Amino acid sequence: MPQNISLDGLWDFYYTPQAFTADETAVLPDVNLFSGKMIIPGYWDDHYELFDTEDFFGTTARFNPDYRKVHFPMGRTLTPHASSSFMIGTGFYRTTFKLNHKPNQQFVLTIGPAVKECFVYCNRQYVGKSQGYSTASTYDLSQVIKHNGDNELIIALCNY
């Protein structure tokens, strides 16, 4: 039976207004750029107070002009889609964790609904991606996980 390990909590966070295209050769942000924080699970639109004093937010944040927070009634004519993203770009979530496990043990990461695109890297190695509106996904980390040591996990979420 698989063992569940929760990675919920406060992760390091970095935002860029640029779209992210990921593969085995993509360049990930340097560790020192992850100066903000983000609650996992969560959307950056709901918790931007955790990083709104960071330089990457103040100087480069791109806001969606068609967004507005939900407020009822919504009006009599066509209104902006209330669930549209407040910020547009890519949010990079980063955490480290330790595991003590057997070399042949399987490790699968499950990520809840991502708004558009989700890219996963474990120990700076590309693991995979998913696309779709509010789509959950799973990733097999077994081949890239470090046995009995520190592991770095980076999840890039792009809603561009």
Side-chain angles (χ1 to χ4, degrees):
M1 172 159 250
Q3 177 185 5
N4 288 322
I5 300 170
S6 175
L7 296 176
D8 292 356
L10 200 60
W11 286 39
D12 298 330
F13 183 76
Y14 171 69
Y15 161 84
T16 177
Q18 304 302 314
F20 184 71
T21 303
D23 59 21
E24 292 81 1
T25 62
V27 177
L28 295 172
D30 192 75
V31 173
N32 63 9
L33 291 175
F34 289 86
S35 56
K37 297 294 179 188
M38 181 55 57
I39 296 171
I40 298 298
Y43 296 100
W44 73 62
D45 289 354
D46 295 335
H47 300 288
Y48 67 88
E49 73 279 356
L50 294 172
F51 59 84
D52 63 359
T53 59
E54 301 300 326
D55 286 341
F56 64 75
F57 181 79
T59 59
T60 63
R62 182 168 174 232
F63 299 98
N64 186 346
D66 293 329
Y67 172 86
R68 75 178 202 200
K69 293 208 179 265
V70 176
H71 173 81
F72 292 102
M74 291 294 284
R76 293 189 182 116
T77 61
L78 183 63
T79 58
H81 191 276
S83 65
S84 295
S85 302
F86 172 60
M87 290 174 57
I88 299 169
T90 304
F92 292 90
Y93 299 70
R94 179 185 177 273
T95 194
T96 58
F97 59 97
K98 289 183 186 234
L99 291 175
N100 292 317
H101 65 282
K102 299 174 184 134
N104 294 329
Q105 191 172 355
Q106 184 180 26
F107 288 92
V108 177
L109 173 69
T110 301
I111 299 177
V115 173
K116 186 161 181 336
E117 291 182 296
C118 177
F119 306 93
V120 175
Y121 290 81
C122 184
N123 298 318
R124 302 263 164 173
Q125 294 181 44
Y126 179 72
V127 177
K129 75 174 187 173
S130 69
Q131 289 182 291
Y133 183 77
S134 292
T135 304
S137 53
T138 58
Y139 304 88
D140 188 345
L141 305 180
S142 303
Q143 300 302 313
V144 294
I145 208 97
K146 291 180 184 174
H147 303 287
N148 302 317
D150 291 334
N151 289 280
E152 176 190 50
L153 187 60
I154 294 178
I155 301 171
L157 298 174
C158 183
N159 66 2
Y160 202 83

